[in-house]
Amino acid sequence: MGTELRSLASGSCHFNDAGCGFPAPGLNEFQFEPIFTVGGVEFNKPMLLSMIVAVLVVLFFWASFAKPKLVPGKLQLVGEIGYDFVKRSIVLETIGKKGEKYVPMLVSMFFFIWLMNIMSIIPFAQFPVTAAIAFPAGLAAVVWVTYMGLTFKKHGFVGGMKNLCWPSGIPGWVMFILVPIEFFSNIFVRPFTLAVRAFANMFAGHLLIVMFSIASWYLLSPSLGALYGSVSFVVAAGLTAFELLVQFLQAYIFVMLASSYIAGALEEAH
């Protein structure tokens, strides 16, 4: 799971051993040695996991819909349920019929994020890829470029700036305050919060699970510490179960916000 947990489990360090302090997890849990280097670019574990997830998403939907049948088989049925879930409960609810053309992108984004999050509980992977800020930042950049592109494509430069910065139905005398706020919020804050929300939740959840997992082993001893270790293990198991819900919700929220930005870009008025 992390360097501290691996090193602790490989030895026999427990809390009642002399000179054996609790190896609290830290940023080292999110730092990985490069597997190999290509042209000065270090290829590490999160990058490998993200590529595996991307391949899995592509293969799953290709296998589901390569030869669609009127009466769907099991794999096609699962694919249709996943596709319709994102389409109906997120895209059409947020954007409406105009969002039909963006469904493939948003479906791909949902399952890509969800599976990257799920990697935290997969044996030998045990790391949520979105806990590395580069990945949610890259996805947020894709959403931001789409948002800006649609805004200026539909409204032109002047109309696009008005859509971004000029709220409708607001008295003119407060515009000198609201326009800079809206400009900063829509152009800078939105992509920043979109990325940080996914990153921070996965970062914090992974760190908590690692900490209680380490504590379970560290407190394991033929003494009262075994009771504390058992409690720590139960907490770690509970956090892992809760994290499954959070992993799904973060993918859902990310795509829902992306849909709302696209809907805002397509609206006639701000």
Side-chain angles (χ1 to χ4, degrees):
M1 182 171 291
T3 55
E4 293 291 354
L5 185 55
R6 288 192 295 268
S7 62
L8 185 66
S10 63
S12 58
C13 180
H14 300 288
F15 85 105
N16 59 345
D17 296 338
C20 182
F22 178 66
L27 292 178
N28 55 309
E29 297 296 329
F30 303 88
Q31 298 170 347
F32 297 91
E33 293 295 326
I35 302 171
F36 57 85
T37 302
V38 177
V41 178
E42 295 181 344
F43 192 89
N44 58 19
K45 180 179 177 178
M47 296 172 69
L48 176 62
L49 292 178
S50 69
M51 293 186 67
I52 292 173
V53 167
V55 170
L56 287 175
V57 172
V58 171
L59 288 179
F60 171 73
F61 282 105
W62 178 82
S64 298
F65 300 114
K67 296 180 180 179
K69 299 178 181 178
L70 186 60
V71 179
K74 293 180 179 179
L75 190 61
Q76 182 183 336
L77 180 61
V78 173
E80 288 180 357
I81 291 172
Y83 187 90
D84 284 344
F85 169 76
V86 177
K87 176 183 176 180
R88 297 180 187 279
S89 66
I90 301 179
V91 180
L92 295 184
E93 284 288 330
T94 306
I95 307 175
K97 288 293 184 181
K98 294 181 291 184
E100 289 274 3
K101 64 173 68 175
Y102 309 105
V103 171
M105 180 190 78
L106 294 169
V107 168
S108 301
M109 192 171 288
F110 174 85
F111 284 98
F112 184 56
I113 295 171
W114 188 22
L115 288 183
M116 285 199 297
N117 292 344
I118 287 177
M119 283 292 136
S120 68
I121 61 169
I122 301 299
F124 304 108
Q126 294 177 293
F127 182 77
V129 182
T130 47
I133 186 62
F135 295 95
L139 290 167
V142 171
V143 173
W144 184 84
V145 169
T146 304
Y147 174 42
M148 291 292 110
L150 289 174
T151 297
F152 291 111
K153 180 181 179 180
K154 180 173 179 61
H155 304 285
F157 180 77
V158 175
M161 292 302 295
K162 183 177 180 181
N163 180 275
L164 291 169
C165 307
W166 196 274
S168 59
I170 303 296
W173 62 272
V174 296
M175 283 302 181
F176 77 98
I177 298 175
L178 285 181
V179 167
I181 293 175
E182 289 288 308
F183 177 85
F184 186 78
S185 173
N186 289 323
I187 296 181
F188 298 106
V189 174
R190 278 188 169 185
F192 176 79
T193 55
L194 190 62
V196 170
R197 182 182 292 105
F199 159 73
N201 279 278
M202 291 299 101
F203 182 95
H206 181 66
L207 195 60
L208 282 171
I209 291 172
V210 170
M211 183 179 70
F212 281 101
S213 298
I214 292 173
S216 300
W217 179 261
Y218 177 74
L219 294 170
L220 184 62
S221 62
S223 66
L224 187 60
L227 175 62
Y228 300 141
S230 300
V231 172
S232 183
F233 177 80
V234 171
V235 173
L239 285 172
T240 301
F242 178 71
E243 194 70 4
L244 285 171
L245 174 63
V246 174
Q247 289 160 2
F248 173 82
L249 286 177
Q250 288 308 309
Y252 182 90
I253 292 169
F254 192 101
V255 173
M256 183 182 67
L257 289 173
S259 298
S260 72
Y261 299 160
I262 292 173
L266 298 176
E267 286 180 355
E268 292 299 333
H270 181 73

